[in-house]
Amino acid sequence: MREDKVALWKAYTNLSDFEQTLHGLQAQDVYYAKPRFLQKNDTKEIGAFYALTEECESIFPVRAGGFLILSELKVTEGFVQFVLYSEQCVLEEMFPYEQFIEELNGYDVRKFDADHILIPPMTKAELENLARKLHGKGKSV
């Protein structure tokens, strides 16, 4: 969302443009990524696990724990895994969420709102290339 529009909304008493903008954002046919949570038995740390699939426009939080308003649940680590839907398989590795978000800069990602990004549909080749780049950066699970 453009910041100049947000500034205008703060000044106006008629919020019809705001309503139309929100409706347009919420009416988009996109996948809204939601994590699966796992907790370590020994440390009780919570991990958030996301999946990104090919040819699917997706909204992801900027931070692995950024999808929640609940303050009692603290995500310690986030991970992402790539799913090749056309082949009904998963690329074997899971990658650190922060590295995934950083690496998306070259993929025409747009800001959705203050806490989320809109990832355009990616091809199988783009997902495999992204996985190679992330694998080369170091730690994967």
Side-chain angles (χ1 to χ4, degrees):
M1 199 170 311
R2 293 187 355 232
E3 291 186 29
D4 58 332
K5 258 194 153 183
V6 173
L8 285 174
W9 292 331
K10 288 180 181 179
Y12 288 137
T13 54
N14 179 349
L15 295 178
S16 62
D17 182 55
F18 176 71
E19 291 173 2
Q20 289 174 352
T21 301
L22 279 184
H23 176 72
L25 288 172
Q26 294 171 347
Q28 292 181 33
D29 186 19
V30 297
Y31 168 70
Y32 200 98
K34 55 187 181 290
R36 186 175 47 146
F37 299 108
L38 295 174
Q39 185 176 40
K40 291 181 181 178
N41 288 333
D42 55 346
T43 64
K44 303 299 183 202
E45 293 175 322
I46 297 173
F49 296 82
Y50 291 87
L52 177 63
T53 190
E54 64 188 320
E55 304 301 340
C56 181
E57 191 169 30
S58 304
I59 296 173
F60 274 71
V62 174
R63 294 175 336 279
F67 59 91
L68 287 176
I69 299 172
L70 306 171
S71 60
E72 62 271 4
L73 184 63
K74 299 289 184 207
V75 172
T76 307
E77 289 184 280
F79 299 93
V80 66
Q81 189 167 39
F82 303 131
V83 177
L84 300 179
Y85 187 74
S86 64
E87 297 180 13
Q88 296 294 304
C89 72
V90 179
L91 294 181
E92 292 187 25
E93 296 180 74
M94 284 187 271
F95 301 100
Y97 196 81
E98 294 78 20
Q99 288 179 4
F100 161 69
I101 294 296
E102 286 174 20
E103 195 60 46
L104 284 174
N105 287 332
Y107 290 91
D108 207 20
V109 171
R110 298 186 324 259
K111 186 175 181 178
F112 182 75
D113 63 24
D115 298 316
H116 298 85
I117 56 173
L118 182 64
I119 302 171
M122 296 176 75
T123 64
K124 174 187 171 191
E126 287 173 318
L127 283 180
E128 290 172 333
N129 186 46
L130 181 56
R132 277 191 297 278
K133 287 179 180 178
L134 289 168
H135 179 76
K137 286 192 166 218
K139 159 178 145 177
S140 60
V141 178

